[in-house]
Amino acid sequence: MKPTQSRLILAFLVIFLTMCHWSHADENQKKEARLNLGYYFYSINETANRADVEVSLNFWVKDLFELEAKKLNFSITSSKAFLFDHIEDMKKAFEQGELDMIIAPPLLISRYFKRQDLGDGFAGVREGKKSDYVLLIVRTDKNIGGIKDLHGKRLVIQDNNELADIFLDTLTLKALGQSYKNMGLSIQHQNKSNRIILDVFFDKADAAVIYRSSYEIMAELNPEITNKIKILAEYPIKSKNFSYFRHNYPLIMELNAVAMGFSKSARGKQILEVFKTPEIDYCNVADLDNFDKFYKDYLQLKQHAKK
């Protein structure tokens, strides 16, 4: 073999071994990143007060993720939770790179956040990973057989719940060509779903918009509720809140895996209990498509009603 050929073979061998070493080093290198979470406060304030939410997010979640990080060979360098009263402020913080994960109602995420900026996350779901529903419930003794019968009735709707508002508006626009706000209703606002259901049960209201998950909990506690209240309309949703990482976040796979195991650890169960959710399921960015259509259809109904 000529000396030139020998040198070429040796050079290729050195390059090959170096590349193998780098590849092996990359595989064993511990991943690390900060974790700043942004929560839309009004989507979780009925399950816990602000102080409890801040404690659970800034301590329990931090401890849980850090504990699991050691097991899975990644590191959370720092973590902090931020509560936002306005979705516009959360959007701004996300776009400026201040947040690594957002948690908010899916309709708001669909409307305010660019799809290409989001990475898949997870959501709290009903037991058995069943879908939740937005419900229009009415008293059985008020002769309400359809949307037209809501005229002049007493309605309770949740504060700061855009999905509930648009759901009901969509129903009345489809059936009557007018907003529910123009139907002579006596409209009350409440924060807690259980209080809303009890207002209907005790004849303080004739109709309300709530979530099926809340309705089923109350009906289980008091079966008489199903005799006095019926469901007039419903709209399926995966969860009240969706969570998404920023699209280029380096620990998406690792933290989604940790979230899927929340129900298997004591600290994870505490977090699920605070937010009144029995299970966690994956939440894909494509899950927002239904809300895009929902809102687009609503705008078309509003436009048609003006003609």
Side-chain angles (χ1 to χ4, degrees), residues 45-49 158 190-197:
N45 68 332
E46 75 160 308
T47 58
N49 62 45
Q158 194 172 37
Q190 285 274 13
N191 178 35
K192 296 185 178 295
S193 294
N194 59 352
R195 183 68 259 171
I196 292 173
I197 295 167

Side-chain angles (χ1 to χ4, degrees), residues 121-143:
F122 52 87
V125 294
R126 294 166 64 206
E127 193 169 357
K129 292 184 168 54
K130 296 178 183 176
S131 294
D132 207 341
Y133 289 82
V134 184
L135 304 179
L136 171 59
I137 59 172
V138 298
R139 283 187 61 88
T140 55
D141 61 355
K142 298 298 180 179
N143 297 316

Side-chain angles (χ1 to χ4, degrees), residues 234-245:
E234 63 183 21
Y235 179 77
I237 58 171
K238 186 169 194 169
S239 176
K240 299 178 186 178
N241 291 301
F242 285 9
S243 68
Y244 291 108
F245 294 96

Side-chain angles (χ1 to χ4, degrees), residues 59-228:
F59 293 97
W60 293 359
V61 175
K62 178 178 182 290
D63 289 350
L64 178 61
F65 277 131
E66 288 184 352
L67 177 63
E68 295 301 319
K70 294 177 182 178
K71 299 177 185 177
L72 298 174
N73 196 37
F74 68 89
S75 174
I76 303 295
T77 58
S78 65
S79 65
K80 186 171 178 59
F82 300 89
L83 301 181
F84 293 87
D85 292 333
H86 303 287
I87 196 70
E88 295 87 352
D89 293 338
M90 190 162 83
K91 174 190 176 185
K92 182 179 179 181
F94 187 72
E95 290 178 342
Q96 292 178 344
E98 298 170 10
L99 302 175
D100 305 304
M101 185 179 185
I102 57 169
I103 302 94
L107 180 60
L108 290 181
I109 296 177
S110 167
R111 289 187 56 206
Y112 286 91
F113 290 81
K114 296 175 183 177
R115 211 56 50 89
Q116 65 267 26
D117 293 342
L118 303 174
D120 293 345
F122 52 87
V125 294
R126 294 166 64 206
E127 193 169 357
K129 292 184 168 54
K130 296 178 183 176
S131 294
D132 207 341
Y133 289 82
V134 184
L135 304 179
L136 171 59
I137 59 172
V138 298
R139 283 187 61 88
T140 55
D141 61 355
K142 298 298 180 179
N143 297 316
I144 304 175
I147 299 301
K148 61 181 177 56
D149 300 320
L150 290 174
H151 277 287
K153 300 297 185 181
R154 300 167 298 170
L155 170 75
V156 188
I157 197 165
Q158 194 172 37
D159 276 327
N160 300 296
N161 189 330
E162 187 178 47
L163 180 59
D165 178 73
I166 294 178
F167 165 67
L168 184 56
D169 226 20
T170 296
L171 291 175
T172 60
L173 285 166
K174 280 183 178 179
L176 307 170
Q178 64 180 141
S179 170
Y180 74 90
K181 296 168 186 173
N182 299 325
M183 293 178 62
L185 292 164
S186 173
I187 302 174
Q188 309 163 48
H189 290 88
Q190 285 274 13
N191 178 35
K192 296 185 178 295
S193 294
N194 59 352
R195 183 68 259 171
I196 292 173
I197 295 167
L198 289 175
D199 280 352
V200 178
F201 179 75
F202 287 114
D203 201 14
K204 295 181 180 179
D206 306 312
V209 179
I210 49 95
Y211 291 99
R212 180 180 286 277
S213 52
S214 302
Y215 178 75
E216 289 183 348
I217 290 172
M218 294 298 292
E220 186 176 335
L221 293 172
N222 182 3
E224 184 63 20
I225 283 176
T226 58
N227 295 325
K228 292 190 176 183

Side-chain angles (χ1 to χ4, degrees), residues 280-298:
I280 297 290
D281 196 9
Y282 288 107
C283 187
N284 301 317
V285 175
D287 289 337
L288 293 171
D289 292 349
N290 289 335
F291 296 92
D292 292 341
K293 184 178 185 307
F294 174 78
Y295 190 67
K296 180 181 178 182
D297 292 346
Y298 169 65

